[in-house]
């Protein structure tokens, strides 16, 4: 078992017992953290000098449609109806297996490069087993920890406002995917770092019979389910659908709900009481909707928020920006609400926002005892930030620096499962392969837009 000793400048463990440490060391054995502390006195085959770096848990991106990476920024001036008309209802339907592979690979590499070690890849664009398999292959090739969220895609372009409500998830395809990529040789190819979940159409987007069947399919297969909750209750296909599922015992920690930004606090409370996790994508929700995100309502109800990116054609894929946006939104909303109630300000701590991007994601994934913290026995998923970079130097408090000031360009080193994936500021993905595949991605994006007859509007 390979041993790696990391000599750190600062360590943000996100563990209450260990706290933050200055001048400490981390010992990695194989894919796990063996020890964290001062002067460990441990021998190791590899020693990493991170004495001028902030070492911290890798970020957890809890929602990204990764296959869309080749179309970055084309919808910067879209609102939600434009996205459904141009992308989900048209361009996305033209993707083939290799288009999915290329977009997912480059989207995942960007996440890894920017300090994300775990990605919840919500791929709601699958029409064939091969398309699903090539998406999983891309995540495996990128080298990060990922949950591939299999979502059934539209078969053909849809007229505006005419998305189908009969959205049964294909059991046979999911079973075949389990056999080909998540067992035996298929699982060995990615070392178990890629796991499977279902991205299902729930009551906001599917009729009751389909919603019920989809939730039961995930339960039958023992898989985490995730569904989009992006409508006001009155506009949902089945307005009381989630309450009915909860009453039947079909919601729990194995169900993740994304957005929920149009729900009131009472309904969010009922979903949390049922055990669901709720993920906010703050940049996207502030871009698209007048109501902001559900994050403050989740906090108010005692839930642990998790955060993600959502749609790179519309917003940045940088999780540091997402974390900072989430914190600014929550602070501003809190100040306004307390002022309206005649109360003084109460500041949300920077460390809490870092928890949304680490511990919160780990909890939503059911991996809270494996990732999200740097402590003995946990997976060796960690990142290192250069403390000497001009935007961080001098570091007075590592949490303030990481949460309030850092960006993707500060990420020097990334380790996933004890394997270095980025070092000295460079991804360890073959340069010649990246260049060739990058040319293929650009050609894929150009073809998809041409087939859809789409040209981005002037900036």
């Amino acid at each position: 078992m390979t041993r790696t000793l990391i000599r750190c400048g600062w360590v943000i463990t996100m563990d209450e017992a260990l706290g933050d440490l200055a001048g400490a060391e981390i010992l990695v054995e194989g894919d796990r953290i063996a020890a964290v502390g001062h002067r460990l006195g441990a021998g190791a085959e590899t020693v990493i000098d991170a004495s001028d770096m902030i070492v911290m848990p890798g970020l957890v991106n809890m929602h990204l449609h990764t296959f869309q990476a080749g179309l970055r920024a084309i919808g910067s001036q879209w609102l939600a109806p434009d996205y459904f008309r141009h992308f989900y209802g048209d361009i996305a339907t033209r993707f083939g297996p290799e288009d999915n592979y290329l977009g997912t690979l480059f989207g995942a590499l960007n996440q890894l490069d920017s300090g994300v070690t775990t990605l919840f890849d919500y791929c709601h664009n699958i029409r064939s087993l091969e398309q699903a398999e090539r998406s999983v292959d891309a995540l495996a090739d990128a080298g990060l920890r990922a949950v591939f969220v299999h979502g059934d895609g539209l078969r053909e372009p849809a007229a505006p406002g005419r998305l189908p409500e009969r959205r049964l998830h294909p059991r046979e395809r999911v079973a075949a995917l389990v056999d080909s990529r998540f067992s035996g040789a298929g699982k060995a190819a990615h070392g178990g770092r890629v796991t499977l979940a279902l991205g299902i159409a729930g009551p906001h987007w599917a009729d009751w019979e389909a919603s019920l069947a989809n939730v039961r399919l995930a339960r039958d297969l023992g898989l985490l389910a995730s569904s989009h909750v992006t409508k006001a209750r009155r506009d949902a296909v089945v307005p009381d659908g989630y309450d009915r599922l909860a009453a039947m015992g079909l919601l729990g920690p194995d169900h993740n709900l994304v957005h929920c930004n149009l729900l009131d606090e009472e309904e969010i409370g009922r979903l949390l009481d049922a055990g669901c996790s709720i993920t906010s994508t703050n940049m996207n929700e502030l871009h698209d909707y007048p109501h902001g995100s559900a994050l403050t309502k989740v906090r108010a109800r005692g839930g642990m928020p998790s955060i993600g990116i959502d749609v790179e054609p519309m917003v940045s894929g940088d999780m540091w920006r997402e974390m900072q946006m989430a914190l600014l939104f929550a602070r501003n909303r809190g100040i306004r609400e307390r002022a309206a109630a005649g109360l003084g300000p109460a500041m949300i701590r920077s460390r809490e926002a870092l928890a949304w991007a680490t511990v919160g994601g780990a909890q939503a994934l059911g991996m809270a005892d494996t990732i999200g913290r740097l402590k003995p026995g946990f997976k060796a998923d960690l990142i290192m930030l250069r403390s000497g970079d001009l935007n961080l130097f001098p570091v007075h408090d590592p949490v303030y620096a990481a949460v309030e000031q850092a960006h993707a360009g500060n990420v020097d080193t990334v380790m996933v499962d004890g394997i270095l994936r980025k070092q000295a500021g460079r991804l360890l993905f073959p340069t010649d392969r990246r260049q060739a595949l990058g040319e293929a991605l650009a050609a894929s994006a150009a073809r998809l837009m041409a087939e859809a007859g789409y040209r981005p509007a002037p900036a």
Side-chain angles (χ1 to χ4, degrees):
M1 185 178 292
T2 303
R3 290 159 61 95
T4 300
L5 182 67
I6 305 170
R7 292 177 174 150
C8 312
W10 294 267
V11 182
I12 304 171
T13 68
M14 296 305 292
D15 180 72
E16 292 183 4
L18 290 172
D20 302 333
L21 304 171
E25 298 176 336
I26 298 174
L27 179 64
V28 175
E29 292 185 351
D31 63 353
R32 301 272 176 172
I33 295 171
V36 179
H38 293 97
R39 296 178 293 279
L40 296 178
E45 290 85 351
T46 302
V47 176
I48 296 176
D49 180 7
S51 57
D52 62 345
M53 298 192 197
I54 300 169
V55 183
M56 57 182 283
L59 305 181
V60 181
N61 183 346
M62 262 304 294
H63 191 79
L64 180 65
H65 302 300
T66 319
F67 73 93
Q68 301 175 349
L71 288 302
R72 286 191 179 109
I74 68 167
S76 297
Q77 297 177 166
W78 289 348
L79 293 174
D82 303 305
Y83 169 76
F84 286 107
R85 180 170 66 254
H86 294 306
F87 200 102
Y88 184 69
D90 194 341
I91 295 173
T93 69
R94 303 171 190 277
F95 274 64
E98 291 310 304
D99 300 310
N100 264 59
Y101 175 83
L102 292 165
T104 301
L105 176 66
F106 276 80
L109 287 174
N110 177 56
Q111 293 299 303
L112 192 62
D113 190 43
S114 63
V116 170
T117 53
T118 301
L119 171 63
F120 196 65
D121 172 29
Y122 200 114
C123 190
H124 60 340
N125 190 45
I126 300 299
R127 286 171 291 280
S128 70
L129 176 60
E130 183 184 5
Q131 199 170 22
E133 290 173 334
R134 292 301 285 152
S135 301
V136 175
D137 292 344
L139 296 171
D141 289 350
L144 78 177
R145 190 177 308 285
V147 179
F148 175 68
V149 188
H150 177 285
D152 195 36
L154 298 180
R155 301 296 183 273
E156 58 188 16
R162 299 294 298 275
L163 296 177
E165 296 178 358
R166 184 71 176 165
R167 305 284 294 279
L168 279 169
H169 212 84
R171 177 182 290 266
E172 295 78 12
R173 188 199 303 151
V174 174
L177 182 63
V178 170
D179 290 340
S180 70
R181 291 298 187 272
F182 294 99
S183 59
K187 181 177 181 179
H190 51 72
R193 282 183 291 277
V194 184
T195 52
L196 180 63
L198 296 188
I200 63 174
H204 273 217
W205 290 98
D207 62 30
W208 173 246
E209 184 177 346
S211 297
L212 186 58
N214 292 341
V215 171
R216 283 176 167 162
L217 173 61
R219 279 280 172 95
D220 289 348
L221 297 176
L223 298 174
L224 177 67
S226 184
S227 55
H228 286 89
V229 184
T230 52
K231 297 181 179 182
R233 184 182 178 95
R234 65 181 179 276
D235 298 324
V237 176
V238 187
D240 63 344
Y242 284 106
D243 287 330
R244 291 164 67 181
L245 290 171
M248 296 171 70
L250 292 174
L251 295 183
D254 58 352
H255 202 105
N256 168 255
L257 303 165
V258 63
H259 304 307
C260 298
N261 50 313
L262 299 182
L263 302 187
D264 61 34
E265 189 176 311
E266 291 298 319
E267 186 164 5
I268 284 175
R270 293 196 299 273
L271 293 170
L272 292 172
D273 289 344
C276 298
S277 63
I278 294 178
T279 296
S280 296
T281 61
N282 294 268
M283 285 191 292
N284 192 270
E285 288 150 7
L286 291 169
H287 181 287
D288 282 9
Y289 299 97
H291 303 81
S293 88
L295 187 144
T296 54
K297 297 174 186 176
V298 173
R299 287 185 75 248
R301 285 291 174 154
M304 168 61 86
S306 55
I307 58 176
I309 297 294
D310 202 8
V311 176
E312 280 195 276
M314 299 175 73
V315 299
S316 168
D318 186 342
M319 270 292 288
W320 303 95
R321 287 180 65 177
E322 169 62 23
M323 176 170 58
Q324 290 154 4
M325 182 69 76
L327 180 55
L328 289 172
F329 166 75
R331 282 175 171 170
N332 181 263
R333 179 63 62 88
I335 289 170
R336 288 191 288 119
E337 289 178 350
R338 289 179 65 85
L343 303 173
M347 185 59 65
I348 297 174
R349 296 179 65 199
S350 304
R351 189 181 303 275
E352 184 179 347
L354 187 55
W356 305 337
T358 54
V359 178
Q363 183 173 307
L365 293 173
M367 299 181 185
D369 59 351
T370 305
I371 64 170
R373 297 179 172 88
L374 301 184
K375 61 182 294 187
F378 273 50
K379 287 286 191 176
D381 292 3
L382 56 86
I383 61 177
M384 307 179 196
L385 308 180
R386 291 183 300 272
S387 66
D389 283 2
L390 289 175
N391 65 305
L392 297 184
F393 180 82
V395 173
H396 302 289
D397 182 293
V399 175
Y400 287 158
V403 174
E404 307 283 359
Q405 303 290 331
H407 56 64
N410 301 129
V411 178
D412 180 88
T413 302
V414 178
M415 176 181 283
V416 181
D417 234 20
I419 302 169
L420 286 173
R421 297 297 186 181
K422 181 179 183 179
Q423 193 170 29
R426 295 181 64 86
L427 277 179
L428 303 180
F429 187 87
T431 302
D432 55 346
R433 186 162 182 245
R434 176 178 168 182
Q435 182 174 347
L437 291 171
E439 293 172 358
L441 176 65
S444 164
R447 191 198 82 250
L448 291 165
M449 286 193 289
E451 288 181 1
Y454 179 77
R455 296 181 63 182

